[in-house]
Structure formats: C-alpha cells, structure tokens
Amino acid sequence: MNSIVAIELGTNAVRIFAFDLMGNIIGFAKGHYPTFHEGPDNSEQDPEQVFITMLYVLKNLLNDTLYPQKCVVGCICFSGSMHSLLTVDKDGVPLGNVITWADNRGKETAVELKESELGRTIYEATGTPIHPMSSMVKIAWLRNNDPDRFKKTSKYLPVKSYILQQLTGSCIIDYSIASATGLMNIHSLTWDDTALEFAGISAGKLPQLVPVFYSEAKLKKEYQKALRLQPDVKIIIGSSDGCLATLGAGVWEEGKATITIEDSGAFRVIGDKIIKDHNKQIFNYLLTKEHIVSGGPTNSGGVIFEWFTKRFGDFKKAFDIDHSMGNLIREAAEVTVGSDGLLFLPYLLGERAPIWNANAKGCYFGINIRHERKHFIRATIEGILYEMYSIGKTLENHRAIDSLSVNGSFASIPFCTQIIADIFNKPVSTVSHGDTIGAGAFLLSATEMGMYKNLREASNTIKMHQIFLPNANDHAIYRQYFTVFESLIEKIGGEFDAISNLQNLK
C-alpha cells in the first residue's frame, strides 16, 4: 500500500484526492452534480446522480493517475456534507431525491419548536440548532406533508450513508455526521429518545452509529473488480466535511478559529468541551467523543458568488465558471473598500447563523446612479464576509479569538483573504495544501493506521502557507458599513417573512 484516497461528497460536487503516505497530493479529480430548486424553499439532488458521479470520478482518478504511477490504494476515507436526508424503502431503493441542508420547507415546524422548552431540551441534548436544515425537522415535515412517503420509508439516511451502503452493503453513520442530524444525543452517543419522538420515528429507522475511525465495512466484489481495487482495501467511514476541514486546518490551540467558505460556509473552533449557548445559536458537533467542533454555519458562502457568476459573469465557453469568477474578482478589485456605499445581504437561501431565519432574502442596499457592475461584484463578496463576521462575533461571546485560518475556495483568492483580515481586524493564515477537508480525511486515515499517536498530533503537522495582516484604516471603514449591515437585518425581519409568503404563493 502506498496511497490513501479521500472522497469528499460536497453539496454540489464530489472531490477526490489521492495522497502518498507522507501526505503529499499525488492525484485529484472532481465532478459536479446539480441541485434542483422546484420552489424557493426546495433544494434536492438525485441520489443516483451523486453515486454515479462519484464512481465515474473515482474510476478516472484510478485509471488516469494512480495506476500509471504504480500506486496501490490501501485505504479510502469518506467525507460528507451535513444535514442531507434520503428516504429509502426496505430494499434500500430511494423513495425520492436527497433533501439537502439548504432546503427550508420545514421552517414553520422549526420556528414553533425553537420557541418551546422542548426545543431547548433537544438542542442541549443533540448540539444541533433548531432549524429546517436538521434531519429531525425534515422528517417531521415529511410526516406532516408527505404521509405516503413517510409510511413507506424503511430508513432515513444522509447521502454519505447511502453511498456507503451502495458500496459495501452496510447501513452505518459516523458520530460526526449523526451529531448534525438533530437526532443523536452527543452526551450518550445514542439516538435521542426525545428527538426521535418529535420526528415520529424509532431508532430502527436510522443507520447504525459508529465512530469516525470505523473500518469494518468491506467493498462489494463487483466494485473491487470494476475499480481494480484489492479485496483488503480499507474503507474508513470518516467524518463530516466541517469537522474534517477543522482537523485539516491545523488549528487546535485556544485563541484560534477557522473560517471555511466552500459551497456554504462556517466559523469554527475545536475543543474538549461543549459550548453552552443559551440563545441556541451555536452548534456543537463531534469529531470524536473527546473533540467537539463548535461554531456557526452560513448558507451564504461560495454558492452565493457562484450564483452571481452564473447570472452576471461573462462566459466565453461552456463550463468556464472558474475562469469567469477570476475575471469578476479582478473587476471587483478596481473598487474601493465598502463598494462605494453599496451593501449586500447575501440571503438567497435563507440563513442559518447567526440570525437563523429561513425566510431571509437577498438584498442590495444603497444603490445610486454611479454604481456599476464592478460595485455589485465587490458588494456581493463583502456581504458574504460581513455575514461571516456576524458569526465570528457571536462565537467570541464564548471564546476569545486572536487569529484565523481560512480554507475553502476563498482561501485561494488573496483579494478575498485580505478582506477577511480587514473586516475581522485579525491576522489570517492559509494552509500550504489546497483542501483542508481532503487533508483532514488523510490525517484521520493516517491516525487510524497508526502513523500518528492521535488526531492532535496529526493536525499539528499542517504547515501554514501565507499570513495576511489587517489594515487598520480599512477595518475602520468596514466597521461603519457593518453597523448599517446589522441594523438593516434587524429592521427588515418582518419584510423577510412577507416577501417569502408572496414568493411561495402558487
């Protein structure tokens, strides 16, 4: 064995990395799958399309890159996005599409529960904020709005469990993904009876809970043959994308936090204790029983800038979104700090932390006759980062933070990383490798194989690449704009509900 493969099942794409045993990337491949938005609150994906895309990308990586290098794959580790839900029948056949984290159809159920004492009890037991993103709320919504599907469902699975069941026949879920369902008690590591009762299901409707190092599932013979993998290739269940991104960022010390901006985004810290938040805004998800990743997620990450690019970017040829984004970034750099008075509220998919309002909508504010396209580009980027700053301020109520590590798509764009440093007024570092989720999966695999004593030792091997220092003058300007940003959100909460109701009229 001389290579480790990390499969990252993201929201809009599968990314597969191959590492040598020193942690160097020796191969990479990526494939996209679409998300369907039948209504403004709907976000679904075809599970078969996700599975076939994953197989296609893996096979190409093996045949085109690894096998020509005489690589032998010893281990495959999985990462999955959180909060997805798929219903399957007794034979494991999907009864519909995957409902993703961005789906807001359960928002009324979530609002009612969040305001109750029952909601507080479930939040404190599970660590998952009460929101339509959670599997618990999605299942309750299905019970009330799609009783036929609810009745036929044999198992409720996140998409990562479905992929693993297809590959191995085992119906399993790791503690990390499970702790983001809103159904697992993070203190006892069992499915929580109160949450199950609210959802209206029994524990038998859910996969078997296992640790993130679990490797007993075996690849089916047909996939061993199709992929030309050895029968003893180790399949490690792995963790959630957020927890692996934190592990792969190499930030474990007090006073440090990570910012991830990929399709969505999050602000996270890692520790050995749960952060108790009386406002029920902060999540506490398990990496392992001893390591808890706490923070706040945003719907308004890279998917928002991708939306802007697709609608308003210049495409010289099909599928050149990365090239078009690069051109937009260069155009945005022509505009001064604060976009000459243009603000953007980035709530195209509702919002999670810190406002937890599924009805929130996007808005450009302050438009005047001088504004051009380049102002809207920069305002879109700044709006995404103001939202991240809001989450960071919430977390700083519980833990002092002196510096940040940025990863994900924005980390590869110095223009965006410098804005983060200026808005937060903190030094910001990026890591030497390109993808912290893949790196986290490698570190977890290497630890399971005995190459590191524990995950902390593994994470300490991560090297920082570049440090961005804040500009005090730019921070002062951003503070003024952020004050308006916060005030706007507070004042138009009622209008978010009103416009959402109008958009959902049939």
Side-chain angles (χ1 to χ4, degrees), residues 51-98:
F51 180 60
I52 291 169
T53 302
M54 186 278 298
L55 278 181
Y56 176 79
V57 174
L58 176 59
K59 190 166 185 175
N60 281 349
L61 178 68
L62 293 169
N63 290 337
D64 297 345
T65 305
L66 297 191
Y67 294 152
Q69 298 183 60
K70 309 296 183 188
C71 288
V72 177
V73 178
C75 165
I76 301 176
C77 183
F78 286 82
S79 159
S81 57
M82 292 179 274
H83 316 302
S84 63
L85 183 76
L86 177 67
T87 56
V88 299
D89 67 14
K90 59 182 177 53
D91 297 318
V93 177
L95 295 169
N97 284 331
V98 176

Side-chain angles (χ1 to χ4, degrees), residues 5 45 47 50 69 121 149 216 221 290 326 395 426 434 465:
V5 169
Q45 293 174 330
V50 175
Q69 298 183 60
T121 300
R149 182 173 166 188
E216 294 180 19
K221 288 184 178 178
E290 294 78 24
L395 204 59
K426 299 182 191 300
H465 171 61

Side-chain angles (χ1 to χ4, degrees), residues 409-471:
S409 57
F410 274 34
S412 63
I413 307 171
F415 171 75
C416 295
T417 312
Q418 184 61 53
I419 294 177
I420 294 171
D422 294 338
I423 290 179
F424 278 83
N425 199 30
K426 299 182 191 300
V428 172
S429 60
T430 57
V431 294
S432 56
H433 51 78
D435 183 278
T436 53
I437 299 174
F442 166 79
L443 295 174
L444 191 148
S445 303
T447 303
E448 193 277 341
M449 295 160 59
M451 295 166 59
Y452 299 109
K453 185 170 60 179
N454 53 45
L455 290 178
R456 177 183 285 274
E457 180 182 280
S459 188
N460 286 341
T461 63
I462 297 295
K463 306 296 183 189
M464 295 303 154
H465 171 61
Q466 195 170 4
I467 296 177
F468 295 79
L469 299 177
N471 180 300

Side-chain angles (χ1 to χ4, degrees), residues 318-493:
F319 309 116
D320 70 341
I321 189 166
D322 291 339
H323 177 73
S324 183
M325 281 183 174
N327 287 338
L328 291 178
I329 293 290
R330 284 187 282 276
E331 203 171 334
E334 298 172 5
V335 181
T336 57
V337 171
S339 304
D340 286 333
L342 185 63
L343 275 169
F344 175 57
L345 307 187
Y347 306 134
L348 305 189
L349 292 165
E351 188 51 295
R352 291 182 284 176
I355 62 174
W356 294 100
N357 185 346
N359 280 336
K361 303 298 176 191
C363 173
Y364 288 95
F365 179 77
I367 305 170
N368 66 46
I369 199 71
R370 296 181 303 159
H371 285 139
E372 305 173 33
R373 185 175 82 155
K374 59 186 178 184
H375 294 95
F376 285 84
I377 303 169
R378 179 159 188 145
T380 301
I381 294 168
E382 290 177 341
I384 293 168
L385 300 179
Y386 288 143
E387 183 63 15
M388 197 61 74
Y389 185 48
S390 296
I391 300 171
K393 286 179 60 186
T394 302
L395 204 59
E396 283 191 289
N397 292 329
H398 301 270
R399 187 174 294 186
I401 296 168
D402 305 316
S403 63
L404 304 169
S405 172
V406 176
N407 55 74
S409 57
F410 274 34
S412 63
I413 307 171
F415 171 75
C416 295
T417 312
Q418 184 61 53
I419 294 177
I420 294 171
D422 294 338
I423 290 179
F424 278 83
N425 199 30
K426 299 182 191 300
V428 172
S429 60
T430 57
V431 294
S432 56
H433 51 78
D435 183 278
T436 53
I437 299 174
F442 166 79
L443 295 174
L444 191 148
S445 303
T447 303
E448 193 277 341
M449 295 160 59
M451 295 166 59
Y452 299 109
K453 185 170 60 179
N454 53 45
L455 290 178
R456 177 183 285 274
E457 180 182 280
S459 188
N460 286 341
T461 63
I462 297 295
K463 306 296 183 189
M464 295 303 154
H465 171 61
Q466 195 170 4
I467 296 177
F468 295 79
L469 299 177
N471 180 300
N473 291 331
D474 289 350
H475 175 68
I477 296 171
Y478 278 130
R479 283 291 304 171
Q480 294 178 60
Y481 281 109
F482 182 72
T483 299
V484 181
F485 180 89
E486 272 194 314
S487 178
L488 271 175
I489 297 165
E490 183 178 344
K491 289 178 178 175
I492 63 175

